[in-house]
Amino acid sequence: MRSVWSGNLAFGLVSIPVKLGSAVSSHKISFRQVHEADQGRVRYQKTCELDDQVLATEDIGRAFETPDDELVEVTDADLKALPLPTAKTIEVSGFLDLSAIDAVQLDTPYFLAPASPAADKPYVLMREALARSGKAAVGKFAMRNSEHLALIRPRDDVLVLQTLHWPDELNSPTEAAPKGKVSVSDNELRLADTLIDALGEADLDGYQDEYAQAVEALVAAKLEGTELPVPAGEGGAKVVDLMAALQASVDQAKGGGAAGGPAGGGGATVHELSAQSRRKGAAKKSTGTSGTGRSGAAAKSSEGTSAKSAGKKPARKTAAKKTATGSGTRASAAKKAAAKPAAKKTARRRTG
């Protein structure tokens, strides 16, 4: 492990010689800047703004710029002579429950290793004590021209030191929160819970940097002179109801969703329908349902009347014809009903 810092871990009166090594590495794709005309590498040179002289590394020092643009030179010797106890020591000043740490405050992780065989026993002692307590140690140390707040916690057989952002470096989340009152129905929450259960636990080991892989494939194709990778086609965005999108996502997670659905490869954009849109949709459904019911009733009435008067003629299928037939039936029935009292009156007159 390459050491990036060495010093002592002070735990009460116990001092443990330790060294820091990076706990992570990056596979980020990097590019070189080139001159497009001839593909020559672009180089940067550090020059003095007073005499335009190109400077070597040994010719460059550091200075602090004051608000009134005055430069105060600060040398390496000045920084080493600072009266800081944390310059070569990680001072543990308290402990925290791991659950009480805000993930937003976490910064860079390092492996904390014993610097000598003599440090092994106190190192293991602190590691086991932290593991038994379920707590993490909090301290400060200076590295790379700044002082860091740090968290020390056990991880398997080692101690991990993770730098923390200072409390005054954390931005307020107020501007990121939704504006106004947003209501979520119980049905939407139940579907969201179902989707979480259907997707299951995430296996972080199964995730890969597909961007880096795609860039490497692109570079390999250019080197070999083969056909360049073709991006997958993007589906047109669809506006869907939030409930529909949740249900389709649940179906897809369970293996029953269509490929072009909101949760599939169709590129759906989820928008919750407004109350006005929902009322319009409900009105359309209500109108369609009631109209169908009336047409069905009229059709049945028409069929019954036609069967009696015309020897069971075939029923008309068109809704307009059904309605017309029903109207004709009602008119005919009304005429018959009106004719019956008139017939009775005529009979009475004739007998009277």
Side-chain angles (χ1 to χ4, degrees):
M1 182 183 75
R2 187 176 70 86
S3 175
V4 297
W5 181 92
S6 61
N8 294 308
L9 174 62
F11 176 38
L13 297 178
V14 178
S15 182
I16 310 171
V18 293
K19 56 184 178 180
L20 282 183
S22 180
V24 295
S25 57
S26 176
H27 56 241
K28 181 179 178 181
I29 296 292
S30 60
F31 296 98
R32 301 290 188 187
Q33 290 183 325
V34 296
H35 183 200
E36 289 190 353
D38 56 14
Q39 298 297 300
R41 285 275 303 274
V42 176
R43 303 284 185 179
Y44 288 100
Q45 292 181 325
K46 297 181 179 180
T47 60
C48 175
E49 66 176 11
L50 297 180
D51 58 13
D52 291 331
Q53 180 181 353
V54 178
L55 303 177
T57 303
E58 57 270 16
D59 299 325
I60 301 174
R62 67 169 63 85
F64 180 85
E65 186 175 3
T66 64
D68 56 355
D69 299 332
E70 183 179 356
L71 294 175
V72 179
E73 185 178 7
V74 179
T75 66
D76 290 342
D78 293 333
L79 294 176
K80 288 181 180 180
L82 287 175
L84 282 177
T86 58
K88 295 296 291 182
T89 302
I90 305 170
E91 289 188 338
V92 174
S93 55
F95 299 88
L96 277 176
D97 289 330
L98 289 172
S99 59
I101 301 164
D102 187 352
V104 175
Q105 199 165 355
L106 299 176
D107 197 5
T108 308
Y110 296 91
F111 288 136
L112 196 62
S116 65
D120 289 350
K121 185 170 183 177
Y123 179 93
V124 172
L125 172 64
M126 185 171 188
R127 184 194 68 197
E128 293 302 313
L130 290 175
R132 285 163 59 97
S133 66
K135 296 181 179 293
V138 178
K140 297 191 304 179
F141 73 107
M143 180 177 68
R144 295 173 180 167
N145 300 327
S146 60
E147 191 173 52
H148 301 271
L149 185 62
L151 191 74
I152 302 167
R153 57 185 176 84
R155 182 180 183 271
D156 298 330
D157 293 334
V158 301
L159 289 172
V160 173
L161 180 145
Q162 190 144 15
T163 57
L164 301 174
H165 294 287
W166 295 97
D168 60 354
E169 292 179 333
L170 302 181
N171 296 330
S172 172
T174 304
E175 294 184 0
K179 303 297 185 292
K181 185 178 181 181
V182 180
S183 59
V184 179
S185 69
D186 291 339
N187 287 336
E188 290 168 337
L189 281 173
R190 279 193 289 270
L191 269 178
D193 292 338
T194 304
L195 177 58
I196 292 173
D197 293 337
L199 290 175
E201 295 292 330
D203 180 12
L204 295 181
D205 291 336
Y207 288 85
Q208 296 179 347
D209 185 353
E210 296 181 5
Y211 180 84
Q213 294 175 354
V215 172
E216 290 172 357
L218 172 65
V219 172
K222 284 179 172 287
L223 288 173
E224 297 170 3
T226 58
E227 185 177 354
L228 299 182
V230 178
E234 296 183 2
K238 306 169 188 174
V239 179
V240 296
D241 180 36
L242 179 58
M243 287 289 288
L246 284 171
Q247 185 61 60
S249 300
V250 171
D251 293 341
Q252 187 188 48
K254 290 181 177 180
T269 302
V270 178
H271 294 282
E272 185 173 8
L273 297 182
S274 63
Q276 184 177 1
S277 299
R278 287 178 177 173
R279 285 197 296 271
K280 288 182 179 179
K284 290 180 180 179
K285 291 181 180 179
S286 176
T287 302
T289 305
S290 60
T292 305
R294 285 196 298 270
S295 299
K300 289 180 180 178
S301 176
S302 174
E303 288 170 4
T305 306
S306 301
K308 292 178 181 178
S309 61
K312 297 183 180 180
K313 292 182 179 180
R316 309 282 181 166
K317 294 183 179 180
T318 307
K321 292 183 178 179
K322 288 180 181 177
T323 306
T325 305
S327 300
T329 304
R330 287 195 295 272
S332 176
K335 288 180 180 180
K336 289 180 180 180
K340 286 181 180 179
K344 289 180 180 179
K345 288 180 181 179
T346 305
R348 285 173 188 166
R349 287 176 184 171
R350 288 177 181 176
T351 57

